[in-house]
Amino acid sequence: MRTLIEGAGKLGIKLTTRQVKQFELYYQELIEWNRRINLTAITDYSSVQVKHFLDSLTITLALPEEGMERPDFNIIDIGTGAGFPGVPLKILFPQPPLVLIEPTTKKTAFLHHIIHKLELENVEVLNSRAEEAAHLPLYREQFALALSRAVALLPTLVELSLPFCQIGGRFIAQKKGEIDLEINGAKKAIAALGGKLDQIKKIELGEFNDARYLVIIDKIYPTPGKYPRRAGLPKRRPVQEVK
Ligand code: SAM
């Protein structure tokens, strides 16, 4: 885990022995399960450390200042797949409750397994699409921090994610590539869902050979009850195109 340890150091994170062991175990289990179910195309030791583990930890660059120490701070990761970015963040910060949303049952089986294996506490795995979970009172506008990586284009993603944020909460989307175009296309959706674009943070780490960003969106108004629309619509007909 040398690559991860060094990369994390550049983020100002000093991983403990226990955390390094957890990441090591995470890697082994990910590879083992990946033989049977499709969890990731990235499998070599070094790439997983950088593109999954370190990339997930870059979220720490955008955490709200008063964040993690608040006793009521909680996190939701939408479309977490094999647990990214939620599980690496949980390894780093064991305290805040974490909800992982993932509609693919095979992936949630892995999530249950890895949580148990890594002895992570206070993690809930929700086998659901965001469009459905976001209308349940238990989850709607209940989270201080919502996260999502590689799930959808921003106009769709804000509809899937912002409904989970409390007023005063924050949504961080991890993005790659042509960000300006995506942001422009998402302006209407961000406003319609009760959000306000705070900033776009470029990740400046030599470990990545492509452009990566954290899009930080604050939740300032309640999300109207009609959002998110029924399953599939946020992707098929993103808010910007609705007359
Ligand atoms: N976030 C993980 C990562 O970065 O490795 C997984 C990314 S994977 C490309 C996209 C994931 O989003 C899939 O596991 C998929 O099942 C999930 N997903 C797609 N549509 C979703 C929806 N409407 N609600 C919740 N999750 C969704």
Side-chain angles (χ1 to χ4, degrees):
M1 286 287 136
R2 186 162 296 280
T3 306
L4 174 63
I5 294 167
E6 280 176 20
K10 294 181 191 170
L11 295 171
I13 299 165
K14 192 170 171 355
L15 294 172
T16 63
T17 310
R18 174 179 154 84
Q19 287 165 338
V20 172
K21 278 189 185 148
Q22 285 173 310
F23 278 113
E24 183 66 46
L25 199 52
Y26 194 177
Y27 172 74
Q28 287 165 11
E29 295 298 321
L30 181 71
I31 299 308
E32 180 58 33
W33 277 62
N34 205 42
R35 291 186 224 279
R36 282 174 282 131
I37 63 172
N38 185 16
L39 291 172
T40 177
I42 298 164
T43 53
D44 79 82
Y45 191 51
S46 171
S47 300
V48 170
Q49 290 178 63
V50 173
K51 294 182 180 170
H52 283 324
F53 297 163
L54 184 61
D55 189 50
S56 296
L57 295 185
T58 61
I59 288 284
T60 54
L61 296 171
L63 293 176
E65 266 164 37
E66 74 292 357
M68 299 310 209
E69 287 82 45
R70 255 178 46 197
D72 59 343
F73 197 83
N74 57 358
I75 305 172
I76 188 163
D77 180 4
I78 298 117
T80 190
F84 306 116
V87 172
L89 217 60
K90 183 73 185 172
I91 292 173
L92 190 63
F93 301 112
Q95 208 58 39
L98 169 69
V99 173
L100 301 169
I101 296 200
E102 174 52 51
T104 308
T105 308
K106 283 179 181 173
K107 293 182 183 178
T108 59
F110 173 73
L111 293 169
H112 284 294
H113 169 76
I114 200 69
I115 287 161
H116 176 74
K117 201 84 185 169
L118 302 185
E119 299 179 353
L120 300 172
E121 288 172 2
N122 248 326
V123 188
E124 183 187 342
V125 177
L126 195 58
N127 189 192
S128 169
R129 292 181 70 118
E131 291 95 321
E132 278 131 30
H135 286 286
L136 304 175
L138 201 56
Y139 305 104
R140 190 175 182 84
E141 303 200 315
Q142 296 300 316
F143 294 87
L145 181 65
L147 307 172
S148 194
R149 186 184 87 151
V151 171
L153 288 172
L154 211 47
T156 301
L157 200 56
V158 294
E159 183 167 354
L160 298 179
S161 303
L162 268 179
F164 292 104
C165 289
Q166 307 162 347
I167 311 291
R170 169 173 289 191
F171 169 48
I172 307 173
Q174 291 188 267
K175 283 278 156 199
K176 285 199 276 190
E178 244 320 310
I179 192 73
D180 291 344
L181 216 64
E182 219 180 307
I183 295 282
N184 274 334
K187 282 189 173 149
K188 188 168 175 190
I190 294 171
L193 272 287
K196 181 173 175 291
L197 181 64
D198 175 65
Q199 58 169 309
I200 302 156
K201 230 181 170 119
K202 188 164 194 281
I203 306 295
E204 311 276 4
L205 274 188
E207 275 78 356
F208 301 114
N209 49 17
D210 50 8
R212 290 170 189 238
Y213 305 88
L214 301 173
V215 179
I216 306 170
I217 297 169
D218 292 330
K219 175 85 170 260
I220 56 168
Y221 298 118
T223 297
K226 66 175 173 178
Y227 296 121
R229 292 163 295 158
R230 69 183 151 79
L233 265 191
K235 186 170 177 194
R236 275 205 307 282
R237 245 188 317 134
V239 166
Q240 90 238 37
E241 290 167 23
V242 176
K243 297 275 177 329

